[in-house]
Amino acid sequence: MNRKLIALLSALCCCMAASAQFRTEAFQQQYNDDNSSPADSADVMFSFKEYFGGLRHENEMKIGTMFSGSLIFVGGEQIYNRQYWKLPLVYTGIFGTLGTGIYLNTRGNHEAAKYCFIGSGIAYWAAKMDGVISYRSDTEPLPGRATLYSLLLPGLGQAYNGEYWKIPIYIGGLGAAYYFYDTNNTNYQRYRRIYKEASAPDYTGPITAEQAVYYRNVFRRYRDYSVLSIALVYLLQVIDANVFSYMHDFEISDDMALRIQPSLITSPDTQFAFNPAPVFGLSMGLRF
């Protein structure tokens, strides 16, 4: 019983000593501000008012708003950038080739229609890239531009930030991930075909149906892992372009110092401070 009492008193003393180190500001914060609004907790990612106001040149538009809005309203980037002469090229390149592809596909010319659809996709991508390049900004490098560059073309965001040495890393990572995807998908299709053949009653091949279905599942799983690797490397280079564009002005001084010294810590003037007497402790400061 005495040991329990001594342990309880010791813990109480520690709490009383530690309470003297509380900051006064911790007890003066106001968590329920009547003047706060829901917009304070989260930024609006897309605003139709900002987008269409920007198209009418009534207000400035963030590059992210311009890009995301123009994913649906094709040509919006060229309108905001006041490059109206590009609109016939954009609409002809996208919708002209798309319409031609649909027409050829209905006529049975599927091979030519496929190339038309590919051309329409390339024209759409080129319109997005043109809008990002032509966006005017007083801030360089612009984090939004770096992010969209990497979204549209892996490695371009790193080139925009001047970090050219990263480009072979990400391109090599994407190439390696695609190589494993292609290899695993080829083997998956092979064993999938063998399994169908081995399931026939007259099959006499060297691989049984049980072996074929096992390897089919293995390579299918590896193929899925390869797809995930491609997505992760792609996402990583987008995040890298965004983060290092924000940090391009961040510098750490060579004069770094860590200083530890004795200090007299006084108690805050609040009712929650159990020990009003000052206590001795250590203060630590890091300069960089």
Side-chain angles (χ1 to χ4, degrees), residues 111-126:
E111 188 68 18
K114 180 182 70 175
Y115 289 109
C116 288
F117 294 146
I118 294 175
S120 178
I122 293 176
Y124 181 82
W125 173 87

Side-chain angles (χ1 to χ4, degrees), residues 79-154:
I79 294 174
Y80 178 74
N81 294 328
R82 300 179 185 272
Q83 298 174 332
Y84 306 105
W85 62 271
K86 293 182 179 179
L87 291 176
L89 300 177
V90 171
Y91 293 138
T92 302
I94 298 175
F95 299 109
T97 53
L98 179 62
T100 303
I102 295 174
Y103 173 78
L104 293 174
N105 193 55
T106 58
R107 292 290 181 176
N109 194 347
H110 303 297
E111 188 68 18
K114 180 182 70 175
Y115 289 109
C116 288
F117 294 146
I118 294 175
S120 178
I122 293 176
Y124 181 82
W125 173 87
K128 302 298 104 184
M129 179 66 76
D130 171 75
V132 175
I133 294 174
S134 302
Y135 181 84
R136 296 181 180 179
S137 174
D138 297 332
T139 304
E140 291 295 338
L142 184 64
R145 197 195 305 272
T147 305
L148 294 175
Y149 275 161
S150 292
L151 280 172
L152 293 168
L153 185 62

Side-chain angles (χ1 to χ4, degrees), residues 29 53 64 77 93 115 129 152 163 166-168 171-172 174 204 210 219 222 228 230 237 242 260 277 288:
Q29 294 178 359
E77 294 169 313
Y115 289 109
M129 179 66 76
L152 293 168
E163 299 175 321
K166 293 182 179 180
I167 298 177
I171 298 300
L174 289 172
T204 58
E210 291 77 11
F219 285 112
Y222 288 163
L228 181 61
I230 293 174
Q237 62 91 25
N242 179 273
I260 302 176
F288 61 91

Side-chain angles (χ1 to χ4, degrees), residues 201-214:
D202 56 345
Y203 175 75
T204 58
I207 300 177
T208 64
E210 291 77 11
Q211 291 174 328
V213 73
Y214 170 78

Side-chain angles (χ1 to χ4, degrees), residues 167-223:
I167 298 177
I169 298 176
Y170 289 118
I171 298 300
L174 289 172
Y178 179 79
Y179 168 79
F180 286 114
Y181 164 79
D182 184 64
T183 302
N184 291 320
N185 185 58
T186 301
N187 288 323
Y188 163 71
Q189 297 295 341
R190 173 171 174 256
Y191 282 101
R192 181 170 176 262
R193 184 183 67 255
I194 294 175
Y195 172 70
K196 291 181 179 179
E197 295 175 356
S199 301
D202 56 345
Y203 175 75
T204 58
I207 300 177
T208 64
E210 291 77 11
Q211 291 174 328
V213 73
Y214 170 78
Y215 287 110
R216 181 201 67 181
N217 295 337
V218 167
F219 285 112
R220 179 172 59 188
R221 183 167 62 251
Y222 288 163
R223 182 197 62 178

